[in-house]
Amino acid sequence: MQTKILLDEGEMPKRWYNIQADLPLPLDPPLHPATGKPATPDDLRPIFPMELIRQEMSRERYIDIPAEVRDILTLWRPSPLYRARRLEAALKTPAKIYYKWEGVSPPGSHKPNTAIPQAYYNREEGIERLATETGAGQWGSSLAFATSLFDMECTVYMVRSSYEQKPYRKSMMQVYGAECIPSPSLKTRSGRMVLGRDPDTPGSLGIAISEAVEDAASHDNTNYALGSVLNHVCLHQTIIGQEAKQQLAVAEAYPDVVIGCVGGGSNFAGISFPFAGEKITGKHPDIDIIAVEPAACPTLTKGLYTYDYGDVAGLTPIMKMFTLGHDFVPPAIHAGGLRYHGASPLVSRLAHDGVIRPVAYYQNEVFEAAVTFARTEGIVVAPEAAHAVKAAIDEALRCRETGEAKVILFNNSGHGNFDFSSYEAYFAGGLADYEYPVELIKESLSRLPVTG
Ligand SMILES: *Cc1c(COP(=O)(O)O)cnc(C)c1O
């Protein structure tokens, strides 16, 4: 029995899988934030390169990965697929647990899978600088890594609570040559507006996005890059699930359960869309696909499926998605990368249609699962990835009850080597299990944009 299944570089997928081709009904179009009319490619041109706008709207099933992008991806891809045999033994489960390990990328998560192609297409279209937001710092350091390889500049607005909790992510961005600014900042109108209302705000992804979009829209040589949520980001991440499918085939296995954690939804999309496509089209109708989120920011389990802004200031297109309201500021939980009020429109549609099944966990049980994983498999995972670990353990324990030998696949989205302050807080008993902040969410949902 193999512990890890590796592919050769030559076996790395040459195309991304676009699940839009297999949706029974097309996605509801994004709307222009000012007019409420469907956004046109021209509306998006001030902040995105043409090719990414094309991919965003494409319904082609497969899109070629450019050779220069593939060449860079081989720095760490194909990533290994592990069989978690020691975890299985500790849980005394008949289930077979496999995980895709995305922590092998230089910044340590799945995010470079899209940072590299995004930087590439922007450079191809003459852009010299990218502006972006980051939560836990994973995306900022990934885009900083990508822009350094393409000789571009990079400005990162980092959610203040994470900027303070995770100083080393900021240092990593500096090593890659990017500028990292705590958000909200005084540099943008959106930042000044939020600070005026609440000077002590921990910040949020929604605020940081407003700042980065404003920066990009007001500079000609600068575009905006988003690390999650959008269709083209989910598309780029499908290299994960496609590789996993090839690797499982080597083990003559196919998953009964596929699991990923959801912040904006991109790593979940990456691991699950190649399988969700086979579920929708009837090839494998029975796969259980589980999206795991924090109970403190329960977008898919408690949000509304409706049109909302992607950011606080209302500068982004209005998207049909599960949302907690664009000005909802989630509690400062340690999985900073999962603190987003919305979710990818594609992931939201699949949740709405019942193709995927969302679940939510509290942070202490999530860290407990992460510690079990570290003490059996050896890897200290990121607090975000720990949500997927927790769900995989729960599914495996359910198999122990029923005696089923299910094949469980989860995405291990990144390492926790910069997250030890969070682990320390967990061991010290200092993590709060925030209750679902029902009043705050209700209030925020009362301020949805008016559309149609
Ligand atoms: C950013 C991040 C996430 C959450 O983002 P998604 O777009 O939902 O994937 C999950 N895990 C890690 C390690 C991250 O860095």
Side-chain angles (χ1 to χ4, degrees), residues 30-100:
L31 307 177
H32 191 284
T35 64
K37 300 241 160 54
T40 64
D42 276 347
D43 293 332
L44 301 172
R45 287 201 74 145
I47 56 168
F48 290 119
M50 231 18 242
E51 176 56 24
L52 291 179
I53 297 170
R54 192 187 74 76
Q55 292 180 8
E56 188 66 17
M57 301 181 170
S58 169
R59 300 200 72 202
E60 286 165 69
R61 183 165 287 106
Y62 292 101
I63 293 176
D64 288 339
I65 307 175
E68 193 177 343
V69 171
R70 286 210 319 267
D71 185 53
I72 293 175
L73 293 179
T74 57
L75 282 172
W76 71 95
R77 303 207 74 85
S79 70
L81 179 82
Y82 279 84
R83 172 87 184 265
R85 287 190 286 124
R86 287 177 174 74
L87 177 63
E88 290 170 16
L91 300 175
K92 300 189 175 61
T93 176
K96 300 182 180 73
I97 306 173
Y98 290 90
Y99 66 91
K100 188 72 168 151

Side-chain angles (χ1 to χ4, degrees), residues 219-232:
H219 295 93
D220 274 349
N221 71 342
T222 304
N223 266 351
Y224 169 67
L226 186 56
S228 186
V229 178
L230 299 179
N231 303 338
H232 66 265

